Amino acid sequence: MTAFAFDLLATDKNARRGRVTTAHGTFETPCFMATATAATVKAMTVDMVKATGAELAICNTYHLMLRPTPERVAELGGLHKFMNWQGPILTDSGGFQVMSLSGLCKMNEDGAIFQSHVDGSRHELTPERSMDIQRLLDSNITMCLDECTKNGASHEEAATSMRRSMRWAERCRKAFVRREGYGQFGIVQGSVYADLREESIKALTELDFEGFGIGGLAIGEGQEMMFNVLDFTIPHVQADKPRYMMGCGTPSDIVGSVQRGIDMFDCVMPTRSGRTGKGFIKRGSLNIRNARHARDPRPLDESCTCPTCQNYSRAYLHHLFRCEEILGAMLLTQHNLHYYQNLMKELRGAIEAGTLDDYVADFHENQALGDVAAVG
Ligand SMILES: [Zn+2]
């Protein structure tokens, strides 16, 4: 069996180039996960997702506990088999969705009691149950259940919330069933307060998790504040374990976070945008529904090697979106995922070459250009 491991292969200032090994294979870092919330990357087959370069998938405990239930997934051989994804899988704890998606939700020291957003049925999610669900799903990386401190919380509110999350982290560590090639990440909370972030890291370090999630960011605090928090948080996190910035972010958020030492990312942005018509390109972004693309025979991005850009014009994609054809969402999602994976690949290459600062300067220069002029 393979032990769960993180190998640091190269650094460029605070940025890190690494590799995580799990029972279901390895993934290179910095990485961007394929968002497979309900055990599917929306509008993509597994082969399409793999072809973008994604190596790690993230699935959602909240959604899967309601449908089809973790017990059924276990009965069918676990998530890898169920969704035909043989690579590593990370699952979130369900906490964020319980608070943001469910109907009535009551939080207390024991956990959360909430109503399903699907049928109104009542459920309980405790640290122990969340660990049990993630084990039944056969997730390679289990995330601790934590309380998501809201943006704008006072120091007192953030402290109370963070300390509850740390007590839950201890319960999660106890409930976690250790297996070769499987790991568990604690989640750093403490909002925008340096002393609280430090206290949280200290508590998690003592519990000796296999990695660290950085929680409570990318929730509306703005990029400057987010980077500021990373600047005072990251130096306290052990260097020999992977760091996962949860729910982040835009291409620019990712580039800045990689510079500050983050190794793993996930965000619904490329897939969600792919279904609503927003495309990420080297020169920023575009909305394919805009009339300016109606007669444009060029690809979304002339520098992109994805199958969408190799085979289809902006005019065709514009037509698909205007007619609400499913293929439009598929092709744009494919391009956006490819864009994100290519960004990660280039970031990894720049860290290896020790040229990350130059790469980042180029990145911002290109983003600032904006989309090419319309044709005709
Ligand atoms: Zn493309």
Side-chain angles (χ1 to χ4, degrees):
M1 287 297 280
T2 326
F4 187 91
F6 175 64
D7 294 303
L8 195 53
L9 307 175
T11 57
D12 184 352
K13 295 189 178 147
N14 292 323
R16 295 131 61 87
R17 165 80 182 91
R19 180 175 299 135
V20 175
T21 304
T22 76
H24 288 83
T26 60
F27 59 91
E28 305 297 314
T29 65
C31 80
F32 186 81
M33 303 174 206
T35 306
T37 306
T40 170
V41 177
K42 291 190 198 306
M44 294 286 101
T45 66
V46 162
D47 287 339
M48 291 168 88
V49 176
K50 279 191 201 154
T52 66
E55 295 178 303
L56 173 65
I58 173 169
C59 297
N60 189 284
T61 290
Y62 171 80
H63 288 274
L64 296 173
M65 79 181 277
L66 299 178
R67 295 182 300 192
T69 75
E71 285 73 16
R72 184 168 305 161
V73 173
E75 191 183 296
L76 292 165
L79 263 185
H80 300 88
K81 190 170 176 206
F82 186 56
M83 65 184 279
N84 187 32
W85 178 270
Q86 305 313 325
I89 294 175
L90 177 149
T91 41
D92 69 0
S93 68
F96 184 78
Q97 286 73 25
V98 162
M99 284 170 244
S100 59
L101 284 183
S102 71
L104 209 65
C105 170
K106 277 189 195 154
M107 301 281 296
N108 57 36
E109 183 63 22
D110 196 43
I113 295 169
F114 65 94
Q115 259 188 323
S116 157
H117 74 289
V118 180
D119 60 8
S121 56
R122 278 165 66 89
H123 298 265
E124 194 179 14
L125 192 65
T126 61
E128 290 76 17
R129 177 60 180 153
S130 176
M131 297 308 103
D132 193 38
I133 293 170
Q134 295 181 68
R135 182 186 54 79
L136 287 165
L137 294 173
D138 199 26
S139 165
N140 296 100
I141 300 177
T142 293
M143 298 304 296
C144 281
L145 183 70
D146 64 343
E147 192 178 270
C148 311
T149 311
K150 65 176 194 298
N151 182 35
S154 69
H155 187 276
E156 193 189 341
E157 289 168 333
T160 304
S161 168
M162 179 273 287
R163 286 173 192 144
R164 172 177 280 173
S165 289
M166 295 308 104
R167 290 191 295 276
W168 285 4
E170 203 178 333
R171 285 166 59 186
C172 287
R173 195 56 171 161
K174 267 188 203 139
F176 179 66
V177 179
R178 291 174 195 241
R179 291 147 288 160
E180 282 280 290
Y182 290 75
Q184 183 187 32
F185 285 17
I187 302 172
V188 180
Q189 290 289 349
S191 187
V192 297
Y193 306 105
D195 60 326
L196 299 182
R197 289 273 171 190
E198 210 177 316
E199 182 184 327
S200 175
I201 292 163
K202 195 165 171 281
L204 297 175
T205 305
E206 280 168 15
L207 292 167
D208 197 25
F209 288 102
E210 281 73 32
F212 291 86
I214 312 294
L217 289 178
I219 53 170
E221 72 283 2
Q223 192 186 67
E224 196 184 334
M225 178 58 93
M226 179 170 86
F227 287 166
N228 184 20
V229 172
L230 288 181
D231 284 335
F232 61 63
T233 299
I234 295 301
H236 299 284
V237 181
Q238 282 171 269
D240 59 349
K241 296 193 173 171
R243 303 157 179 171
Y244 161 29
M245 173 93 160
M246 302 173 74
C248 169
T250 65
S252 157
D253 289 341
I254 289 178
V255 166
S257 302
V258 163
Q259 281 186 301
R260 290 167 171 80
I262 297 291
D263 307 301
M264 299 161 64
F265 298 89
D266 83 288
C267 187
V268 295
M269 206 167 279
T271 38
R272 185 172 290 167
S273 300
R275 298 193 299 282
T276 57
K278 181 176 175 179
F280 292 92
I281 54 175
K282 198 165 186 175
R283 296 171 57 147
S285 64
L286 58 78
N287 184 346
I288 199 62
R289 309 179 76 98
N290 288 348
R292 71 195 297 266
H293 306 299
R295 309 176 70 155
D296 196 331
R298 296 171 298 183
L300 284 167
D301 188 331
E302 283 182 312
S303 68
C304 180
T305 59
C306 89
T308 301
C309 291
Q310 295 310 300
N311 298 302
Y312 301 100
S313 64
R314 289 181 176 207
Y316 181 62
L317 293 169
H318 172 84
H319 159 71
L320 292 177
F321 270 89
R322 281 295 171 101
C323 299
E324 293 179 8
E325 286 290 341
I326 295 167
L327 186 61
M330 293 172 67
L331 293 176
L332 193 54
T333 301
Q334 182 178 48
H335 164 81
N336 283 347
L337 287 179
H338 187 276
Y339 171 88
Y340 266 69
Q341 292 302 336
N342 187 58
L343 175 67
M344 303 318 292
K345 191 170 128 190
E346 289 180 355
L347 287 165
R348 291 192 296 267
I351 298 169
E352 279 170 16
T355 55
L356 186 61
D357 285 348
D358 292 343
Y359 176 81
V360 174
D362 270 4
F363 168 84
H364 288 300
E365 211 169 286
N366 280 311
Q367 293 271 307
L369 289 173
D371 193 12
V372 289
V375 290

